[in-house]
């Protein structure tokens, strides 16, 4: 028998507050992602030290994802988000006070953990703002817009302040972002406590979710999309160097991707309800498959920018579609755990895959990376068509 109904959050400003909270946490992490490596180099440390700091951004969110997911399922929105914001706030203040390698490592770990763990609680609670598939797709299109906005704002803020006021001022300014998250969180209504879980459900392991075939399929697709982001960011500069493209041309290509990704997330609410989430997901993966296959055949910066824009459209659609589908395939009351497993897969990939990309790129070239990713995305589009919601 199905468990007690999951409460739905209300409040006109709840979604806007959640988007603001995620922007604050994610922009802080992205700003630290720029400032911390530059701080390490300013100390005269080696490239290995830079790699150590960057690893902190992925390792700690992966380690803390499951506890964060369980906490969100038990306590709702506010406590996990407050803990996440306090972690990010502590990390940035520590880096502002002590410009040393260990402080920069701590800032990376705490801001990364704050962004990753806060995102789990935000996405879990956002699913309660809608009661239909189309509604969830609209909600998650706005939620998915937050990282894109934060990815532009956070590094820009950090870079300008580092150049004009120094590292301490930059970290202090970044500390204002999680502080703003603490304030914005107050606009999210508290959830009505749901009925206590049954004894058997309370003893269920998070790994039992992997026994659900639709969840496994969706987790694979989510990981595949994460890998495709990483491949694009890693292999595009290599391909550009092979094509003798300038740095400004490569920057324009990446900018086309970012702008298209943001615009399509603004457009998703207009088409939600007219097309199913599975069809949207399968079509987006197929478009990404075609783009990755075409990239190595192009030699003109404008053509590559057009490809990047199409990839931004495809991958910009995928994340809201995956998050909306996750609500359907996860058991009631365990959406936080499901999001946590997704976060673990993504952050573990972020920590390990660049080494594999480097080995493959050195052995086979950048074009081979694009074509292998194209084949994987094509297979993923077939899996997306087979997604089915959990049985009631």
């Amino acid at each position: 028998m199905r468990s007690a109904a999951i409460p739905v959050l209300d409040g006109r400003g709840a979604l806007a507050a959640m988007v603001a909270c995620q922007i604050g946490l994610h922009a802080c992490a992205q700003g630290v992602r720029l400032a911390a490596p530059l701080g390490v180099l300013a100390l005269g440390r080696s490239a290995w030290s830079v790699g150590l700091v960057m690893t902190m951004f992925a390792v700690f969110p992966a380690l803390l994802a499951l506890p964060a997911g369980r906490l969100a399922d038990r306590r709702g929105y506010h406590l996990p988000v407050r803990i996440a914001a306090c972690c990010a706030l502590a990390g940035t203040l520590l880096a502002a006070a002590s410009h040393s390698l260990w402080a920069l490592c701590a800032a990376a770990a705490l801001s990364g953990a704050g962004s990753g763990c806060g995102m789990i609680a935000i996405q879990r609670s956002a699913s309660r703002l809608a009661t239909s598939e189309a509604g969830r797709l609209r909600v998650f299109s706005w939620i998915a817009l937050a990282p894109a906005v934060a990815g532009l704002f956070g590094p820009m803020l950090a870079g300008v302040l580092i150049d004009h006021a120094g590292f301490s001022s930059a970290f202090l300014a970044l500390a204002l972002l999680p502080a703003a998250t603490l304030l914005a969180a107050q606009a999210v209504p508290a959830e009505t406590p749901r009925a206590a879980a049954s004894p058997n459900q309370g003893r269920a392991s998070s790994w039992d979710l992997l026994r659900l075939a639709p969840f496994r399929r969706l987790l694979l697709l989510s990981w595949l999309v994460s890998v495709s982001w990483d491949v694009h960011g890693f292999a595009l500069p290599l391909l550009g160097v092979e094509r003798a493209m300038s740095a400004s041309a490569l920057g324009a290509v990446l900018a086309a991707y970012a702008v298209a990704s943001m615009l399509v997330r603004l457009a998703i609410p207009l088409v939600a309800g007219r097309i199913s989430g599975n069809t949207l997901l399968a079509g987006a993966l197929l478009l990404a498959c075609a783009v990755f296959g075409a990239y190595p055949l192009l030699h003109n910066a404008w053509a590559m920018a057009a490809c990047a824009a199409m990839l931004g459209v495809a991958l910009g659609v995928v994340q809201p579609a995956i998050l909306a589908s996750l609500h359907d395939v996860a058991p009631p009351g365990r959406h936080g755990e499901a999001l946590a497993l997704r976060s673990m897969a993504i952050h573990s990939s972020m920590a390990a895959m660049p080494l594999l990309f480097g080995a493959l790129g050195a052995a086979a070239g950048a074009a081979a990376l694009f074509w292998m990713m194209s084949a994987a995305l094509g297979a993923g589009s077939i899996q997306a068509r087979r997604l089915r919601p959990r049985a009631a």
Side-chain angles (χ1 to χ4, degrees), residues 6 8 75 83 235 316 366 369 377 380:
I6 303 301
V8 178
R75 300 296 298 273
I83 292 174
L369 283 174
L377 288 167

Side-chain angles (χ1 to χ4, degrees), residues 204-215:
S205 167
S206 297
W207 302 106
D208 290 340
L209 292 172
L210 297 176
R211 297 179 182 176
L212 304 174
F215 179 75

Side-chain angles (χ1 to χ4, degrees), residues 297-320:
L297 306 178
L298 304 177
H299 295 266
N300 180 273
W302 288 106
M304 292 180 73
C307 259
M310 286 190 288
L311 186 64
V313 169
L315 298 186
V317 165
V318 164
Q319 186 180 7

Side-chain angles (χ1 to χ4, degrees), residues 19-390:
V19 171
C21 287
Q22 186 161 353
I23 289 176
L25 293 173
H26 199 76
C28 176
Q30 292 302 310
V32 174
R33 189 180 289 272
L34 174 70
L38 293 178
V40 171
L41 294 175
L43 292 173
R45 299 282 185 161
S46 66
W48 182 89
S49 298
V50 174
L52 175 64
V53 169
M54 296 304 289
T55 299
M56 297 294 104
F57 284 103
V59 170
F60 277 80
L63 293 175
L64 297 175
L66 273 179
R70 294 193 187 107
L71 180 63
D73 281 335
R74 291 196 312 269
R75 300 296 298 273
Y77 180 84
H78 289 89
L79 180 61
V81 170
R82 286 168 182 160
I83 292 174
C86 288
C87 284
L89 181 62
T92 48
L93 291 178
L94 183 61
S98 175
H99 189 57
S100 60
L101 179 60
W102 70 268
L104 294 173
C105 285
L110 290 170
S111 64
S115 177
C117 297
M119 179 180 65
I120 292 171
I122 291 167
Q123 290 173 348
R124 173 198 166 275
S125 295
S127 68
R128 285 149 172 77
L129 295 172
T131 55
S132 65
E133 180 186 6
R136 282 189 291 275
L137 191 58
R138 292 187 186 97
V139 165
F140 282 122
S141 68
W142 290 108
I143 291 294
L145 185 65
V149 174
L152 292 176
F153 175 69
M156 184 182 300
L157 175 66
V160 169
L161 287 176
I162 288 171
D163 287 340
H164 293 89
F167 284 98
S168 293
S169 296
F171 282 115
L172 285 174
L174 292 173
L176 296 176
L177 298 174
T181 292
L182 290 171
L183 295 177
Q186 303 306 310
V188 178
E191 296 179 38
T192 302
R194 62 183 175 88
S198 65
N200 289 336
Q201 184 181 355
R203 289 195 297 268
S205 167
S206 297
W207 302 106
D208 290 340
L209 292 172
L210 297 176
R211 297 179 182 176
L212 304 174
F215 179 75
R216 290 199 306 271
R217 195 169 287 122
L218 196 60
L219 194 63
L220 174 65
L221 293 177
S222 185
W223 173 81
L224 188 63
V225 171
S226 175
V227 172
S228 70
W229 289 333
D230 292 339
V231 166
H232 186 253
F234 180 89
L236 182 63
L238 299 180
L239 193 66
V241 170
E242 291 178 6
R243 303 289 191 268
M245 293 173 61
S246 66
S248 59
L250 281 173
V253 172
L254 291 172
Y257 169 85
V259 170
S261 179
M262 293 176 63
L263 291 178
V264 75
R265 287 169 180 171
L266 291 173
I268 286 175
L270 302 178
V271 300
R274 303 179 185 179
I275 184 171
S276 71
N278 290 359
T279 302
L280 195 64
L281 181 57
L285 290 171
L286 198 59
L287 176 59
C289 164
V291 170
F292 271 94
Y295 251 124
L297 306 178
L298 304 177
H299 295 266
N300 180 273
W302 288 106
M304 292 180 73
C307 259
M310 286 190 288
L311 186 64
V313 169
L315 298 186
V317 165
V318 164
Q319 186 180 7
I322 285 179
L323 291 172
S325 298
L326 190 67
H327 183 279
D328 290 329
V329 303
R334 303 187 68 187
H335 297 122
E337 290 179 87
L339 288 165
L341 288 175
R342 174 180 178 268
S343 179
M344 286 179 64
I346 290 174
H347 285 99
S348 298
S349 173
M350 288 171 59
M353 294 306 291
L355 296 176
L356 178 59
F357 297 155
L360 291 175
L369 283 174
F370 277 102
W371 284 327
M372 284 188 289
M373 196 69 247
S374 175
L377 288 167
S381 69
I382 297 173
Q383 293 297 315
R385 294 189 184 94
R386 298 173 60 191
L387 278 173
R388 293 291 184 274
R390 55 172 168 74

